């Protein structure tokens, strides 16, 4: 099978909460009838991102075209999970026109791209492009700056930055492997901050890599698909901290699930979450909520103190209607204390005003 006959696959990577799922939703909405297959890979005890995509109500978003890898990181489970999943898609009576792969926010993209050279799939599928989605406001705040001077400035103000941040390294891995970078949430940036983010990101990219801007992940399929990068044949041009053979270690992070039952209001839930997130340094919190008196499921996603929520669909008859959240943070966070704080905040959170953004989650 020639290169032109291979099924294209697009890898969508990006740090926690950057907007990968929102980007995929918009891809589905603008795919103009293409048969898209989705491989969703998420770090956590609940398959939250896969469920969000399945529940989006988009006409060409068929549930049997969404496959989920529950082991947290594609780059560490290539042989056991990823290759068989791709083979399943390729062996269908009607193979997809394009495969979309969403990696975990903790995944190294380069090992995944390298996997497309495995004998089982290399003659049938090619990496059309690696799309890295960036949280524009987070970069503007210097959270993942690769500039040593910026890191030093942060260290002066925050003792937690006294060591090399694994999050910064992951950020570098994702932009170094990219064929296109999407700077998301630009609606939250001033003109000056956006100009600075564009300058800083472009300074780290390979010359041929393009940068586009978006809000709520709204970049059309005609822009993100059809890059024809054949990334699996271009590995040497994609530098990695792990090219020397060191294994990617996920022990820097942990996650756990918590069930909070029914909540009175979305605003009350947000008010309960915000102080716990601040006190325990939670990186990401996301999941579904059962709101009293509402037949629809509430989706909630947060990065740091920024929380967003929206109703996505009615609860299915066979689903347990409850509030189930995944909490993701650095290793050593006190899951018992966090769970206790969230549970004890039920009464205090009822009806309290909130500052969350009731908009499609990024």
């Amino acid at each position: 099978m020639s290169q032109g006959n291979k099924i294209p696959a697009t890898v969508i990577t990006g740090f926690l909460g950057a907007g990968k799922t929102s980007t995929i939703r918009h891809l589905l909405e603008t795919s103009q009838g293409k048969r898209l297959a989705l491989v969703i890979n998420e770090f956590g005890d609940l398959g939250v991102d896969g469920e969000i995509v399945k529940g989006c109500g988009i006409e060409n978003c068929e549930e049997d075209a969404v496959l989920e890898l529950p082991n947290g990181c594609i780059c560490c489970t290539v042989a056991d999970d990823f290759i068989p999943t791709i083979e399943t898609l390729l062996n269908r009576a009607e193979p997809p026109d394009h495969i979309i792969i969403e990696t975990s926010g903790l995944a190294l993209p380069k090992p995944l791209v390298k996997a497309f050279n495995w004998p089982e799939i290399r003659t049938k599928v090619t990496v059309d492009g690696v799309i890295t989605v960036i949280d524009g406001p987070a970069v503007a705040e210097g959270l993942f700056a690769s500039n040593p001077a910026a890191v030093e400035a942060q260290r002066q103000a925050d003792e937690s930055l006294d060591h090399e941040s694994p999050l910064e390294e992951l950020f570098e891995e994702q932009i170094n492997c990219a064929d296109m970078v999407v700077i998301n949430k630009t609606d939250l940036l001033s003109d000056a901050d956006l100009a600075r983010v564009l300058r800083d990101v472009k300074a780290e990219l390979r010359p041929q890599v393009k940068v586009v801007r978006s809000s709520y992940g709204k970049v059309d399929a005609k822009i993100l698909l059809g890059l024809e990068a054949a990334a699996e044949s271009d590995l040497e041009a994609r530098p990695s901290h792990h090219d020397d053979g060191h294994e990617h270690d996920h022990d820097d992070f942990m996650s756990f699930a918590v069930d909070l039952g029914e909540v009175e209001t979305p605003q009350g839930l947000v008010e309960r979450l915000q102080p716990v997130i601040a006190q325990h340094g939670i990186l990401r919190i996301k999941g579904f909520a059962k709101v009293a008196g509402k037949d629809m499921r509430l989706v909630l996603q947060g990065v740091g103190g920024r929380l967003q929520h929206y109703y996505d669909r009615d609860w299915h008859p066979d689903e347990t209607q409850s509030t189930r959240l995944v909490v993701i943070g650095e290793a050593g966070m006190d899951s018992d204390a966090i769970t206790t704080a969230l549970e004890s905040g039920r009464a205090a959170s009822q009806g309290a005003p909130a500052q969350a953004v009731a908009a499609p989650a990024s």
Side-chain angles (χ1 to χ4, degrees), residues 297-325:
R297 184 179 71 174
L298 185 79
V299 176
L300 183 139
Q301 298 199 55
V303 181
R306 297 196 304 273
L307 293 166
Q308 298 178 320
H309 57 81
Y310 64 97
Y311 292 102
D312 71 330
R313 62 164 173 81
D314 288 340
W315 288 96
H316 293 157
D318 59 347
E319 288 183 305
T320 300
Q321 297 188 22
S322 185
T323 299
R324 296 165 295 146
L325 303 175

Side-chain angles (χ1 to χ4, degrees), residues 164-301:
E164 183 180 7
S165 169
L167 305 184
E168 178 187 352
E169 182 176 300
L170 283 169
F171 180 75
E172 292 174 352
E173 294 283 333
Q174 291 165 355
I175 63 173
N176 287 343
C177 198
D179 295 292
M180 181 174 288
V181 169
V182 176
I183 298 179
N184 195 31
K185 308 180 187 178
T186 56
D187 55 306
L188 302 179
L189 291 173
S190 67
D191 290 343
D193 283 342
L194 176 58
R196 180 163 49 83
V197 169
L198 286 168
R199 183 189 67 239
D200 292 347
V201 169
K202 288 180 179 180
E204 299 296 327
L205 296 176
R206 293 174 292 140
Q208 68 271 32
V209 177
K210 303 300 182 184
V211 178
V212 297
R213 314 170 196 178
S214 73
S215 299
Y216 304 113
K218 292 184 177 180
V219 184
D220 286 2
K222 64 183 179 182
I223 295 174
L224 297 183
L225 306 185
L227 300 183
E228 299 182 354
E232 73 277 10
S233 301
D234 187 34
L235 292 171
E236 291 185 2
R238 301 164 192 265
S240 169
H241 291 281
H242 301 269
D243 286 338
D244 59 2
H246 291 303
E247 292 296 322
H248 179 34
D249 187 0
H250 289 302
D251 291 341
D252 294 319
F253 309 96
M254 62 177 288
S255 72
F256 64 94
V258 60
D259 193 319
L260 300 178
E262 185 179 86
V263 299
E264 286 295 315
T265 65
Q267 292 81 7
L269 176 60
V270 168
E271 280 294 311
R272 187 195 316 182
L273 294 173
Q274 286 178 327
V276 180
I277 290 170
Q279 180 180 354
H280 294 275
I282 294 170
L283 297 175
R284 181 88 189 273
I285 192 164
K286 60 184 185 175
F288 310 114
K290 168 59 180 174
V291 179
K294 297 291 185 180
D295 294 328
M296 297 190 74
R297 184 179 71 174
L298 185 79
V299 176
L300 183 139
Q301 298 199 55

Side-chain angles (χ1 to χ4, degrees), residues 12-18 20 41-43 49 72-74 102-109 133 166-167 169-171 173-174 248 250 253 284 286 328:
I12 298 182
T13 187
F15 194 69
L16 300 170
K20 301 187 296 294
N41 182 231
E42 189 48 70
F43 184 89
D49 284 357
C73 181
I74 290 176
E102 180 194 15
T103 73
S104 157
L106 304 179
L108 294 172
V133 184
L167 305 184
E169 182 176 300
L170 283 169
F171 180 75
E173 294 283 333
Q174 291 165 355
H248 179 34
H250 289 302
F253 309 96
R284 181 88 189 273
K286 60 184 185 175
I328 302 173

